[in-house]
Amino acid sequence: MTKTCIYCVLTLLCVVILETAILSNITALPSVPDVLLMCSVFIALLNGPTFGCAISFVAGMMLDFASGSPLGYNAFIRVIIGFAAGFVGRAIYYDGVFLPILIGASSVVAKWLIVLIMSVLFPGVRMIDIRSTSFLFELGATSLLSPFLFAFLRLFKTLLSVPAPLGRNEAGDAI
Amino acid sequence: MVDFERIGFSAITALERGVFTVTDAAKSAVMAVKELATLKEDYNALVVRLANYQQMQRSNAELRRENEMLREQLQFSKALDTSGQNNRVARIISREIDSLYASLTIDKGSADGITKNLPVIAVQNGSVGLVGKIVSVGRFTSRVLPVYSTECVVSARVQNTRDLGLATGLGNTEQTMRLDYIKKRVADQLHYGDVIVTSGENGNYMRDIPIGTIKKITVLDYDSSLDMEIQSAIDFSRLETVIVIKNETREEV
């Protein structure tokens, strides 16, 4: 469990650095594809809602430290998406190409929806313009990158998933 | 009390800085190899161009104008060099990753004497422009709130007429900025392309640093002020290096 946590956090840290230090400096891109969100979603799909929430919170906090957003803003958004991904993770089959694209698109739309609700409840929070080039690019790029990212992360599946307790299978059922 | 935000910012951006340094070095190495490959080609082209230049006759008026322009730039550079010995030249190591909260991270922090609220400028294509101000300082890195951010409000003046207003960003580099509170009665005296400069009145920025130029002026019937759009003086998509102006030199500059 502890080792899995460490591997997951290190993976997310690498992705945060990749996003902020490399991808954000490519000014030709209208926005940065949310690779971090897809990583945390993949880990949540593997490990369920509790671990998904925790790891998404860590990912969000790292992003809050690295970006100019208010502290806790990204953490809150990602915790909700991580919980949802972990909740449905046991029920869906996310191999292949189509489903990862769908999961990628749904995650970005869910992010938009959460920001929309937050902007209604808290006037200080800015709304994402769904028709803007940056949002549409982020949606497209994140969706298209998801199958490749999932395929890559699947190579490290044993490192990123919490081992099942003795006497139980991965779904938690008694053997 | 432990400032978690600052600790987190310092830790994450220190890593960012390290990665940026490595990738920048790798990029430079690749570019150097590429440059070597094209060096001979460029050399031949330059020899031809040099011959052409030697044949060119430049008019006295053109030379005088160019001389004056260079003199102005030199004076500004000297002002920065002599009065601003403590000014810090910094490189941008990362930019905003979402369009909502604009920010730039630079590779100088409290270890280099950077403090919060210091103004940040840049020299691009030979002219100076306002970039923003420091909003958060880590040990080796700092975060800049750029002028195009919706959170950035700068007290500004129209350079020619000296009318006072407030310049606000609209969120991203593609969009222009707004200039509010310029009275309708001065509409006749304003022209497209007029330069908007900092007024220096809010204390955060020194006076007369160009923010941008007037791009659009709209007279609204229901408003006593003009609705104006400004084109930023800085092309943020090409910005790599900035200058942080230290407190003690701001007045002199």
Side-chain angles (χ1 to χ4, degrees), chain A residues 10-32:
Chain A
L10 284 177
T11 307
L12 295 173
L13 185 63
C14 290
V15 177
V16 169
I17 300 298
L18 172 85
E19 266 194 24
T20 54
I22 299 171
L23 294 180
S24 75
N25 282 319
I26 306 173
T27 50
L29 298 177
S31 62
V32 179

Side-chain angles (χ1 to χ4, degrees), chain A residues 20 25 63 65 67 73 126, chain B residues 16 93-94 97 100 143 151:
Chain A
T20 54
N25 282 319
L63 204 57
F65 289 138
S67 71
Y73 170 81
R126 263 171 266 144
Chain B
E16 263 179 28
I93 58 169
S94 77
I97 46 175
L100 292 183
R143 186 177 294 137
E151 289 174 12

Side-chain angles (χ1 to χ4, degrees), chain B residues 16-32:
Chain B
E16 263 179 28
R17 186 180 156 167
V19 172
F20 176 79
T21 309
V22 172
T23 51
D24 196 46
K27 196 171 83 180
S28 303
V30 172
M31 293 304 287

Side-chain angles (χ1 to χ4, degrees), chain B residues 15 45 78-79 104 113 163 168 183 190 194 200-201 212 219 221 249:
Chain B
L15 277 170
K78 275 182 178 171
L104 304 169
D163 287 298
T168 320
K183 297 289 174 198
L190 301 175
D194 279 358
E201 288 189 6
V219 181
D221 292 337
T249 62

